[in-house]
């Protein structure tokens, strides 16, 4: 058993040494771009997500993704043609580098803001995106997990309320998680957001035919809206 542990440690060290070779060849800015990609779920991401994360134009983001793909640090996803991802081992390595650089929270906030914008625009305009939000459930779960761990209640509440129409129809398998997000978000001190959360809770209760509970939630939301 002791020898197996030594062999495994040697293997992990060897893998990390190989990753170091590719990582060290990147410029400082390219290193920053790549390690930020660790916030995305293993199922991957699309160009606009990377563009938002890096705060770059679509042309620049596409060029930089091409550079990382040529360095074998980013790969096409098997889920959908337009998606990219990081191999699980590379993602773990990038995640480690991200937190060593103390960039984890900022990158996750940027990721959360991208998802909030994506779901808001998709529902409001009913646009047909090349990568529909249905593919983003894994990323939604990833970033809400971060928000709960960091007690980012305002961000959690925004994610829970802006995605609610999709939670009804597309993400119904994650309803238990959504219910948890909504109730945790009630602790926010932002009255406008709390009213939105109560309205979303009332919608769920109405959907479940829990009419008395729904009426109570709506009344609480209305009082906050009026305030």
């Amino acid at each position: 058993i002791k020898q197996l542990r030594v062999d495994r440690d040697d293997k992990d060290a060897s893998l990390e040494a190989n990753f170091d070779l590719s990582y060290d060849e990147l410029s400082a800015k390219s290193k920053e771009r790549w390690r930020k990609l660790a916030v995305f779920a293993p199922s991957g991401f699309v160009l606009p997500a990377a563009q938002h994360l890096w705060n770059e134009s679509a042309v620049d983001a596409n060029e930089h993704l091409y550079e990382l793909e040529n360095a074998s640090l980013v790969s096409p996803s098997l889920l959908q043609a337009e998606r990219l991802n990081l191999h699980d081992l590379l993602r773990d390595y990038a995640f480690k580098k991200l937190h060593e650089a103390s960039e984890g929270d900022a990158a996750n906030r940027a990721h959360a803001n991208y998802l909030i914008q994506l779901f808001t625009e998709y529902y409001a305009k009913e646009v047909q995106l090349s990568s529909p939000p249905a593919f983003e459930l894994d990323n939604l779960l990833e970033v809400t997990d971060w928000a709960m761990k960091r007690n980012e209640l305002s961000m959690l509440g925004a994610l829970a309320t802006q995605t609610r129409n999709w939670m009804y129809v597309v993400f119904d398998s994650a309803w238990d998680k959504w219910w948890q997000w909504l109730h945790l978000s009630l602790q926010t001190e932002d009255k406008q957001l709390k009213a939105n959360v109560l309205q979303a809770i009332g919608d769920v209760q109405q959907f479940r035919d829990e009419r008395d509970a729904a009426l109570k939630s709506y009344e609480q939301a209305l009082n906050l809206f009026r305030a």
Side-chain angles (χ1 to χ4, degrees), residues 32-99:
E32 179 186 344
R33 290 189 190 97
W34 182 69
R35 60 183 177 250
K36 284 182 177 180
L37 298 179
V39 300
F40 294 121
S43 54
F45 58 92
V46 288
L47 170 62
Q51 176 189 344
H52 191 99
L53 193 67
W54 296 340
N55 193 27
E56 295 182 345
S57 69
V59 173
D60 288 343
N62 189 54
E63 180 181 333
H64 294 137
L65 282 172
Y66 184 73
E67 174 194 357
L68 294 173
E69 192 171 353
N70 277 343
S72 299
L73 292 171
V74 172
S75 306
S77 172
L78 298 177
L79 180 65
Q80 190 195 27
E82 296 181 2
R83 296 181 78 81
L84 297 166
N85 65 6
L86 277 63
H87 184 280
D88 288 347
L89 294 175
L90 279 172
R91 183 172 178 267
D92 290 344
Y93 176 86
F95 192 79
K96 176 183 175 183
K97 292 296 183 182
L98 182 70
H99 286 275

Side-chain angles (χ1 to χ4, degrees), residues 13 29 44-45 54 72 91 107 122 125 138 142 163 191 202 213 221:
K29 190 62 181 176
F45 58 92
W54 296 340
S72 299
R91 183 172 178 267
Y122 194 97
K125 299 178 182 178
D138 289 344
E142 197 78 24
T163 59
K191 291 184 178 180

Side-chain angles (χ1 to χ4, degrees), residues 12-227:
D12 290 344
S14 178
L15 276 172
E16 187 157 327
N18 284 327
F19 294 158
D20 283 338
L21 291 175
S22 297
Y23 183 71
D24 290 342
E25 288 180 357
L26 300 174
S27 68
K29 190 62 181 176
S30 292
K31 288 178 181 177
E32 179 186 344
R33 290 189 190 97
W34 182 69
R35 60 183 177 250
K36 284 182 177 180
L37 298 179
V39 300
F40 294 121
S43 54
F45 58 92
V46 288
L47 170 62
Q51 176 189 344
H52 191 99
L53 193 67
W54 296 340
N55 193 27
E56 295 182 345
S57 69
V59 173
D60 288 343
N62 189 54
E63 180 181 333
H64 294 137
L65 282 172
Y66 184 73
E67 174 194 357
L68 294 173
E69 192 171 353
N70 277 343
S72 299
L73 292 171
V74 172
S75 306
S77 172
L78 298 177
L79 180 65
Q80 190 195 27
E82 296 181 2
R83 296 181 78 81
L84 297 166
N85 65 6
L86 277 63
H87 184 280
D88 288 347
L89 294 175
L90 279 172
R91 183 172 178 267
D92 290 344
Y93 176 86
F95 192 79
K96 176 183 175 183
K97 292 296 183 182
L98 182 70
H99 286 275
E100 286 177 355
S102 300
E103 298 167 344
D105 286 340
N108 275 292
R109 287 191 189 97
H111 184 198
N113 282 322
Y114 165 74
L115 289 175
I116 291 168
Q117 177 181 310
L118 174 71
F119 285 102
T120 302
E121 291 181 355
Y122 194 97
Y123 178 71
K125 299 178 182 178
E126 295 184 351
V127 294
Q128 296 302 309
L129 304 180
S130 58
S131 180
F135 282 102
E136 299 301 340
L137 176 58
D138 289 344
N139 278 316
L140 179 61
L141 295 176
E142 197 78 24
V143 81
T144 49
D145 183 59
W146 163 79
M148 286 189 291
K149 287 178 179 176
R150 301 298 291 172
N151 203 35
E152 293 270 352
L153 298 179
S154 293
M155 188 66 77
L156 182 63
L159 288 162
T161 54
Q162 292 303 321
T163 59
R164 71 176 183 269
N165 295 291
W166 290 94
M167 299 305 293
Y168 286 134
V169 182
V170 182
F171 300 157
D172 57 323
S173 62
W175 261 41
D176 57 334
K177 293 182 181 294
W178 183 37
W179 199 239
Q180 181 185 17
W181 306 338
L182 289 170
H183 281 276
L184 284 173
S185 302
L186 284 176
Q187 301 173 44
T188 181
E189 296 181 2
D190 184 331
K191 291 184 178 180
Q192 176 69 45
L193 179 59
K194 188 172 182 177
N196 291 338
V197 171
L198 283 165
Q199 182 181 352
I201 289 174
D203 290 344
V204 176
Q205 291 165 332
Q206 182 74 12
F207 187 85
R208 293 177 172 177
D209 203 28
E210 299 169 359
R211 298 184 183 182
D212 290 343
L215 182 60
K216 183 177 179 180
S217 295
Y218 288 144
E219 286 176 347
Q220 290 176 316
L222 183 59
N223 288 334
L224 285 172
F225 282 130
R226 285 172 172 164

